[in-house]
Amino acid sequence: MDEATAFRRASEDYVRLAREVSATQWAATTPCAEWDVRALVNHVAGEYLWVPELMAGRTIADVGSRLDGDLLGDDPLEALVNAARDAQAAAREDDALTRVVHLSFGDVPGAEYLKQMAVDSVLHSWDLARSIGSDETLNPELVDFTYDEMRRHAEDWRSGGAFGPAKEPADDSTQSLLLALTGR
């Protein structure tokens, strides 16, 4: 599976889970200690809003603070759905995997950026499922994709503050290994 496909599938899974959030669950706690469900969904929606911008060649400085703060407004689900739709459209463009994307730590191919976006969506899908009491079983292909990336780069993500210390896995399944590696 290429990176654009992984991102599309991972973001679709995330949106599917977000559709399950009830009105009373938006303030529920999440495994991400600093976020409730609304803040978690806001983070992911924000990440999705960055995709069209960065895939279009814009820099973080070009975008500025426009994508800071509350991006969900009065209809969090609609805001997330629209952000995911636009991000997926940018990821489907013909040269999406090969174009240069300007990230905070340097320029990378679109494939690398979309891989990071897929990983973020997969991990936060589990966070959201845990928070709302939904089925926590992630798509096995996406788990394999994400675990392969995290085995190689978990310490980079960890040092950047993306997640806490590794934990002991609950069992020897790839999903448990992934969750433990990412401090979940």
Side-chain angles (χ1 to χ4, degrees):
M1 148 175 39
D2 72 20
E3 295 83 359
T5 301
F7 172 64
R8 178 187 51 80
R9 291 174 63 192
S11 59
E12 287 171 351
D13 286 354
Y14 190 85
V15 168
R16 180 188 49 76
L17 277 167
R19 290 182 189 283
E20 296 179 25
V21 177
S22 72
T24 60
Q25 291 176 316
W26 288 101
T29 61
T30 71
C32 306
E34 66 278 7
W35 293 336
D36 62 11
V37 168
R38 183 181 171 92
L40 174 63
V41 173
N42 188 70
H43 164 73
V44 173
E47 292 292 321
Y48 294 166
L49 290 170
W50 276 98
V51 173
E53 300 289 343
L54 295 175
M55 294 297 285
R58 292 181 191 88
T59 66
I60 292 170
D62 293 337
V63 176
S65 62
R66 188 166 39 91
L67 300 178
D68 291 349
D70 178 25
L71 303 167
L72 300 179
D74 294 334
D75 192 340
L77 183 59
E78 181 182 16
L80 176 69
V81 167
N82 291 338
R85 180 198 62 228
D86 293 348
Q88 290 169 10
R92 280 193 306 272
E93 293 178 8
D94 289 339
D95 65 342
L97 297 177
T98 58
R99 67 177 63 169
V100 174
V101 178
H102 309 290
L103 300 179
S104 60
F105 55 83
D107 293 349
V108 299
E112 179 60 30
Y113 174 56
L114 292 174
K115 183 188 318 176
Q116 292 174 18
M117 291 302 303
V119 166
D120 197 53
S121 293
V122 169
L123 294 174
H124 286 315
S125 287
W126 182 85
D127 297 332
L128 184 57
R130 167 66 53 106
S131 302
I132 64 172
S134 187
D135 182 1
E136 297 174 16
T137 306
L138 300 170
N139 176 307
E141 288 179 290
L142 291 172
V143 167
D144 290 344
F145 179 91
T146 302
Y147 185 59
D148 182 56
E149 178 68 7
M150 287 295 93
R151 280 188 307 179
R152 292 181 284 126
H153 299 290
E155 293 312 314
D156 296 334
W157 286 59
R158 193 178 329 283
S159 69
F163 39 79
K167 296 182 176 180
E168 286 297 317
D171 56 49
D172 64 353
S173 70
T174 306
Q175 179 168 317
S176 289
L177 295 171
L178 170 64
L179 295 173
L181 180 62
T182 60
R184 289 167 166 82

